[in-house]
Amino acid sequence: MNCKLFLIAAVAALTAGGALTAPAAVNIRIQADQPGAAISPTLWGIFFEDINYGADGGLYPERVKNRSFEFPSPLMGWHVEAQAGVGVLVGTEPAHGVNNRHFLRVTNGGTAAVVLRNEGFFGMGIQQGQEYEFSLQARCVGRERPTLAFTLTGADGRHLAGGSLKGMGNEWKRLAVTVRAGATDLKAHLSILVKGPGSVDLDLISLMPRKTFKNHGLREDMAQMLAELKPGFLRFPGGCIVEGRWLTNRYQWKTTIGPVAERRLIINRWNDEFKHRPAPDYYQSFGLGFFEYFQLCEDIGAEPLPILNCGMACQFNSGELAPMDQLQEYIQDALDLIEFANGPVSSPWGKKRAEMGHPKPFRLKYLGIGNEQWLQPYIDRYAAFARVLKARHPEIQLVSSAGPAPDDEKFRFAWPKLRELKADIVDEHCYARPEWFLNNAHRYDGYDRRGPRVFMGEYAAQSDKTVSVNNRNNWECALAEAAYMTGLERNADVVVMASYAPLFGHEEGWQWRPNLIWCDNLRSYGTPSYYVQQMFSLNKGDRTVPLLLEGVVPTEGGKPRFYATAARDTRTGEIILKVVNATPGAVEAQLTLEGVAWGRGRARVTVLTGGLKDENSIEFPTRVAPVTSTLPLGALAGPFSFWKHSLTVLRVPIR
Ligand code: AHR
């Protein structure tokens, strides 16, 4: 029997049979009459970074690579298929903005067409029946009038779509045509044909799907996967990408807004970070920039959490520091970002937001100062930012960094200093083996309740080791994360935000694994970790309910491997119980509800389980996926069986 059928049968058996006859090994006492902590609406969120082709080649659906010829190798991604005078010129006129000085001059001296071919990002994903807009900026040079046409061709040579562009004159002009694809191809390519004698200048060559998420320009399937997490926040733009290897290629939000042509392209720091996973064509076009980011937050109902460079380049690389007396530029960037997000349209940056189509503020409430920084240089810089920002914007909660690991000398250095500075929220990171997560579900039980609060800003269980190409997104890792997450929820008075990292991985373009969501040029799927995140997020509740595990708590290798947390959903009048059974056998548990009575109706049971090495894939996207059923409440009177290696969420109406 396949796993899903097995589960359906099992849930059906429970539904029909009610209480099990085996004696309960463990008693789960849900103390619904005891006060619990408020659960922050931001508890479960998303970490986005442009790694693994997460933006260009991913969520930003531009199909043309190097559309403006601004890559350091100006013809990277392009192939010229005819012998003719074809040249790339560096414009001396800032025709399309100072950040876009290159264009392609094509001179056709012969009778055959000059064919310019763009390879896209691992090819171009083209979907049958979908519309695509092909556009470019063009002008003729001189009196001759060559004509322009284009085709989309499948990997097997099949014609998918094509058209011609009319109206070219001697001034730069945007020409566009929309076509419908006649067939699907994951690895299509674009050809532009320049026919007839003469010279033309081409720039900003683009092929975009017409249908995007909420019509806001992002790839629909990928953004939809984010929406389906119902995230409390969206951290952006990273990750080390915030820092840059050197300060010159740090992420600067101001260069990512306004007309796309004017956004300054920079190298993506993951381009050459790992010698074993080189990505020489990885650049940041910023088609997905800060405006699109804020808009995405709004579209998926997530609080924005921008992370800004604090005057420090990546400490794994150069560790370059902006001198303390030159920090003002960086702090000003933070002040201006707050104004861009929240300022009135009469303010300089609020005006820019309005010009981009969003006069209403984005209601920014959180701001991260630096990504994964450490030791005294960071503390000094955080303090300088906090001094200004707290005076000018006391309404903004600041996120500070505790370094790259959850318990090393950098971490132990950071916490007392940040506590002394009365930091709002401290960002902790952890990439470790599944055992770490299983062993640390009680990590926050002993944290000081007086603050600062915790943001578990990057975490993921590593089946091999950090940065290993052998890491797998298997159920064993996801199950360990689920166990750990019960501890985050139980300590919701301390932990106010948490996000798995990284978010996206392109099947052909990854530098780092594991990732929460994988995609190719057309499809995306959630890993087992995705479904764990989703089950916690969709079943968050608004107040924790104290819970005791009594009796014989199941162990493995002498360590407790059975985890639970309970919450109350005041809106629906339900108790939400989450249980992780990380043992290799089913566990019968008695549920005891104290202080309130079971209500009416049925309980909803969602179970996520699988073989420890099971993974999802493009071909089998839901091999490990939750199965939901309902139970009569009477079935909860006797012992309840929790599947081996499972995460179970029970939603029970109470009176
Ligand atoms: O998530 C991948 C990387 O891990 C992030 O960019 C960085 O913050 C961390 O070291």
mmCIF file of all heavy atoms in Angstrom, residues 522-542:
data_model
loop_
_atom_site.group_PDB
_atom_site.id
_atom_site.type_symbol
_atom_site.label_atom_id
_atom_site.label_comp_id
_atom_site.label_asym_id
_atom_site.label_seq_id
_atom_site.Cartn_x
_atom_site.Cartn_y
_atom_site.Cartn_z
ATOM 1 N N LEU A 522 9.175 25.568 -14.759
ATOM 2 C CA LEU A 522 7.724 25.753 -14.782
ATOM 3 C C LEU A 522 7.023 25.277 -13.522
ATOM 4 O O LEU A 522 5.936 25.723 -13.211
ATOM 5 C CB LEU A 522 7.109 25.012 -15.988
ATOM 6 C CG LEU A 522 7.341 25.618 -17.370
ATOM 7 C CD1 LEU A 522 6.802 24.696 -18.455
ATOM 8 C CD2 LEU A 522 6.684 26.993 -17.488
ATOM 9 N N ARG A 523 7.638 24.326 -12.828
ATOM 10 C CA ARG A 523 6.924 23.688 -11.713
ATOM 11 C C ARG A 523 7.665 23.913 -10.405
ATOM 12 O O ARG A 523 8.874 24.128 -10.390
ATOM 13 C CB ARG A 523 6.798 22.180 -11.975
ATOM 14 C CG ARG A 523 6.072 21.866 -13.268
ATOM 15 C CD ARG A 523 6.340 20.471 -13.768
ATOM 16 N NE ARG A 523 7.737 20.271 -14.154
ATOM 17 C CZ ARG A 523 8.232 19.134 -14.654
ATOM 18 N NH1 ARG A 523 7.444 18.105 -14.849
ATOM 19 N NH2 ARG A 523 9.506 19.037 -14.969
ATOM 20 N N SER A 524 6.918 23.823 -9.317
ATOM 21 C CA SER A 524 7.555 23.903 -8.008
ATOM 22 C C SER A 524 6.865 22.928 -7.066
ATOM 23 O O SER A 524 5.709 22.563 -7.285
ATOM 24 C CB SER A 524 7.481 25.329 -7.463
ATOM 25 O OG SER A 524 6.202 25.865 -7.669
ATOM 26 N N TYR A 525 7.583 22.501 -6.065
ATOM 27 C CA TYR A 525 6.967 21.579 -5.091
ATOM 28 C C TYR A 525 7.544 21.830 -3.704
ATOM 29 O O TYR A 525 8.668 22.322 -3.549
ATOM 30 C CB TYR A 525 7.164 20.113 -5.511
ATOM 31 C CG TYR A 525 8.593 19.630 -5.435
ATOM 32 C CD1 TYR A 525 9.095 19.061 -4.257
ATOM 33 C CD2 TYR A 525 9.441 19.747 -6.524
ATOM 34 C CE1 TYR A 525 10.412 18.621 -4.182
ATOM 35 C CE2 TYR A 525 10.754 19.318 -6.455
ATOM 36 C CZ TYR A 525 11.239 18.754 -5.292
ATOM 37 O OH TYR A 525 12.537 18.345 -5.208
ATOM 38 N N GLY A 526 6.740 21.485 -2.717
ATOM 39 C CA GLY A 526 7.161 21.650 -1.331
ATOM 40 C C GLY A 526 7.866 20.400 -0.832
ATOM 41 O O GLY A 526 7.492 19.274 -1.157
ATOM 42 N N THR A 527 8.894 20.616 -0.050
ATOM 43 C CA THR A 527 9.606 19.499 0.573
ATOM 44 C C THR A 527 8.813 19.062 1.810
ATOM 45 O O THR A 527 7.892 19.755 2.252
ATOM 46 C CB THR A 527 10.987 19.982 1.024
ATOM 47 O OG1 THR A 527 10.781 21.064 1.954
ATOM 48 C CG2 THR A 527 11.812 20.475 -0.149
ATOM 49 N N PRO A 528 9.185 17.945 2.428
ATOM 50 C CA PRO A 528 8.548 17.590 3.702
ATOM 51 C C PRO A 528 8.650 18.738 4.713
ATOM 52 O O PRO A 528 7.712 18.990 5.467
ATOM 53 C CB PRO A 528 9.335 16.358 4.145
ATOM 54 C CG PRO A 528 9.774 15.722 2.851
ATOM 55 C CD PRO A 528 10.072 16.873 1.935
ATOM 56 N N SER A 529 9.773 19.459 4.700
ATOM 57 C CA SER A 529 9.919 20.604 5.618
ATOM 58 C C SER A 529 8.873 21.678 5.324
ATOM 59 O O SER A 529 8.384 22.352 6.232
ATOM 60 C CB SER A 529 11.313 21.216 5.487
ATOM 61 O OG SER A 529 12.290 20.275 5.866
ATOM 62 N N TYR A 530 8.546 21.855 4.050
ATOM 63 C CA TYR A 530 7.512 22.831 3.682
ATOM 64 C C TYR A 530 6.197 22.470 4.366
ATOM 65 O O TYR A 530 5.515 23.320 4.939
ATOM 66 C CB TYR A 530 7.343 22.835 2.154
ATOM 67 C CG TYR A 530 6.206 23.696 1.648
ATOM 68 C CD1 TYR A 530 6.402 25.041 1.369
ATOM 69 C CD2 TYR A 530 4.931 23.156 1.453
ATOM 70 C CE1 TYR A 530 5.356 25.833 0.898
ATOM 71 C CE2 TYR A 530 3.885 23.937 0.993
ATOM 72 C CZ TYR A 530 4.101 25.277 0.715
ATOM 73 O OH TYR A 530 3.059 26.064 0.258
ATOM 74 N N TYR A 531 5.859 21.186 4.305
ATOM 75 C CA TYR A 531 4.570 20.794 4.890
ATOM 76 C C TYR A 531 4.584 20.897 6.410
ATOM 77 O O TYR A 531 3.557 21.174 7.027
ATOM 78 C CB TYR A 531 4.164 19.402 4.390
ATOM 79 C CG TYR A 531 3.790 19.459 2.932
ATOM 80 C CD1 TYR A 531 4.572 18.857 1.950
ATOM 81 C CD2 TYR A 531 2.686 20.196 2.522
ATOM 82 C CE1 TYR A 531 4.251 18.970 0.602
ATOM 83 C CE2 TYR A 531 2.359 20.321 1.180
ATOM 84 C CZ TYR A 531 3.143 19.704 0.224
ATOM 85 O OH TYR A 531 2.815 19.840 -1.100
ATOM 86 N N VAL A 532 5.748 20.692 7.012
ATOM 87 C CA VAL A 532 5.855 20.907 8.461
ATOM 88 C C VAL A 532 5.593 22.384 8.768
ATOM 89 O O VAL A 532 4.787 22.729 9.639
ATOM 90 C CB VAL A 532 7.251 20.472 8.976
ATOM 91 C CG1 VAL A 532 7.501 21.010 10.378
ATOM 92 C CG2 VAL A 532 7.369 18.952 8.963
ATOM 93 N N GLN A 533 6.272 23.261 8.020
ATOM 94 C CA GLN A 533 6.069 24.704 8.231
ATOM 95 C C GLN A 533 4.597 25.057 8.054
ATOM 96 O O GLN A 533 4.026 25.811 8.835
ATOM 97 C CB GLN A 533 6.906 25.514 7.227
ATOM 98 C CG GLN A 533 8.409 25.408 7.405
ATOM 99 C CD GLN A 533 8.915 26.100 8.659
ATOM 100 O OE1 GLN A 533 8.412 27.155 9.036
ATOM 101 N NE2 GLN A 533 9.883 25.513 9.322
ATOM 102 N N GLN A 534 4.012 24.502 7.031
ATOM 103 C CA GLN A 534 2.618 24.839 6.730
ATOM 104 C C GLN A 534 1.674 24.352 7.837
ATOM 105 O O GLN A 534 0.760 25.061 8.251
ATOM 106 C CB GLN A 534 2.227 24.220 5.394
ATOM 107 C CG GLN A 534 0.900 24.717 4.877
ATOM 108 C CD GLN A 534 0.523 24.046 3.582
ATOM 109 O OE1 GLN A 534 0.570 22.828 3.470
ATOM 110 N NE2 GLN A 534 0.154 24.837 2.601
ATOM 111 N N MET A 535 1.940 23.138 8.334
ATOM 112 C CA MET A 535 1.048 22.611 9.384
ATOM 113 C C MET A 535 1.130 23.460 10.644
ATOM 114 O O MET A 535 0.131 23.684 11.327
ATOM 115 C CB MET A 535 1.379 21.150 9.684
ATOM 116 C CG MET A 535 0.752 20.202 8.653
ATOM 117 S SD MET A 535 1.311 18.502 8.835
ATOM 118 C CE MET A 535 0.530 17.987 10.350
ATOM 119 N N PHE A 536 2.315 23.929 10.978
ATOM 120 C CA PHE A 536 2.439 24.791 12.159
ATOM 121 C C PHE A 536 1.777 26.145 11.896
ATOM 122 O O PHE A 536 1.068 26.678 12.742
ATOM 123 C CB PHE A 536 3.915 24.989 12.547
ATOM 124 C CG PHE A 536 4.419 23.893 13.449
ATOM 125 C CD1 PHE A 536 4.776 22.656 12.941
ATOM 126 C CD2 PHE A 536 4.517 24.084 14.816
ATOM 127 C CE1 PHE A 536 5.234 21.634 13.769
ATOM 128 C CE2 PHE A 536 4.963 23.078 15.660
ATOM 129 C CZ PHE A 536 5.330 21.845 15.134
ATOM 130 N N SER A 537 2.000 26.674 10.715
ATOM 131 C CA SER A 537 1.503 28.015 10.428
ATOM 132 C C SER A 537 -0.026 28.049 10.324
ATOM 133 O O SER A 537 -0.670 28.958 10.842
ATOM 134 C CB SER A 537 2.144 28.511 9.138
ATOM 135 O OG SER A 537 1.684 29.790 8.843
ATOM 136 N N LEU A 538 -0.594 27.039 9.659
ATOM 137 C CA LEU A 538 -2.050 27.046 9.497
ATOM 138 C C LEU A 538 -2.761 26.678 10.793
ATOM 139 O O LEU A 538 -3.972 26.806 10.900
ATOM 140 C CB LEU A 538 -2.478 26.062 8.392
ATOM 141 C CG LEU A 538 -1.962 26.315 6.980
ATOM 142 C CD1 LEU A 538 -2.662 25.406 5.979
ATOM 143 C CD2 LEU A 538 -2.133 27.762 6.574
ATOM 144 N N ASN A 539 -2.020 26.172 11.749
ATOM 145 C CA ASN A 539 -2.631 25.740 13.012
ATOM 146 C C ASN A 539 -1.945 26.417 14.192
ATOM 147 O O ASN A 539 -1.593 25.766 15.173
ATOM 148 C CB ASN A 539 -2.526 24.212 13.136
ATOM 149 C CG ASN A 539 -3.287 23.510 12.041
ATOM 150 O OD1 ASN A 539 -4.507 23.516 12.026
ATOM 151 N ND2 ASN A 539 -2.572 22.929 11.092
ATOM 152 N N LYS A 540 -1.793 27.720 14.068
ATOM 153 C CA LYS A 540 -0.988 28.435 15.053
ATOM 154 C C LYS A 540 -1.730 28.671 16.354
ATOM 155 O O LYS A 540 -1.187 28.465 17.439
ATOM 156 C CB LYS A 540 -0.567 29.771 14.427
ATOM 157 C CG LYS A 540 0.432 30.529 15.248
ATOM 158 C CD LYS A 540 1.014 31.662 14.442
ATOM 159 C CE LYS A 540 -0.057 32.515 13.869
ATOM 160 N NZ LYS A 540 -0.027 33.056 12.641
ATOM 161 N N GLY A 541 -2.974 29.088 16.291
ATOM 162 C CA GLY A 541 -3.666 29.502 17.507
ATOM 163 C C GLY A 541 -3.160 30.855 17.959
ATOM 164 O O GLY A 541 -2.246 31.430 17.359
ATOM 165 N N ASP A 542 -3.762 31.387 19.009
ATOM 166 C CA ASP A 542 -3.336 32.709 19.464
ATOM 167 C C ASP A 542 -2.833 32.729 20.895
ATOM 168 O O ASP A 542 -2.362 33.750 21.376
ATOM 169 C CB ASP A 542 -4.460 33.742 19.281
ATOM 170 C CG ASP A 542 -5.786 33.222 19.754
ATOM 171 O OD1 ASP A 542 -5.806 32.553 20.801
ATOM 172 O OD2 ASP A 542 -6.804 33.460 19.071
#
